[in-house]
Amino acid sequence: MAGRPLRNANRYVVNGLPAEANEGDAKFSFSCVMRGELRDASRRAQMIGWVSLTGGPREGPQREWDVQHVALSYLMAQKAVEVLGCENKPLQGEPVVKPGKG
């Protein structure tokens, strides 16, 4: 997983991509191949969809919270991918979050 790891995180897979979540954060990483002069650099980079939530009590079991927030980070990143025009179309469809390994 790209970027710094989350502390005390549970691992997931969202639409085939590695994801993780803890009490305050959820994130996943993916590749976005961009057009034009950024193409070569973007092939070597990983983008991170990250949601950090603060304040207010969290309700429900941890896994339920994690799944909801991993899905939210995916949906938010989908909008960024649309704006960037990633040629490889990395984030397609509704997020399906499953338990991961590790």
Side-chain angles (χ1 to χ4, degrees), residues 10-38:
N10 293 312
R11 308 270 183 248
Y12 297 92
V13 175
V14 57
N15 293 20
L17 300 169
E20 57 186 354
N22 64 18
E23 283 193 22
D25 298 293
K27 73 174 194 166
F28 72 100
S29 60
F30 59 97
S31 171
C32 170
V33 178
M34 298 173 74
R35 295 185 172 105
E37 63 186 50
L38 296 174

Side-chain angles (χ1 to χ4, degrees), residues 30 32 47 75-86 91:
F30 59 97
C32 170
M47 297 189 84
L75 291 169
M76 291 173 68
Q78 259 185 338
K79 296 299 180 188
V81 163
E82 288 175 24
V83 170
L84 292 171
C86 302
L91 307 179

Side-chain angles (χ1 to χ4, degrees), residues 43-79:
R43 285 180 190 265
R44 295 184 300 273
Q46 284 286 300
M47 297 189 84
I48 299 172
W50 190 313
V51 172
S52 185
L53 302 169
T54 60
R58 167 179 67 75
E59 294 183 21
Q62 182 67 37
R63 289 235 182 246
E64 184 179 308
W65 187 95
D66 288 354
V67 167
Q68 291 173 354
H69 291 93
V70 167
L72 175 61
S73 68
Y74 184 93
L75 291 169
M76 291 173 68
Q78 259 185 338
K79 296 299 180 188

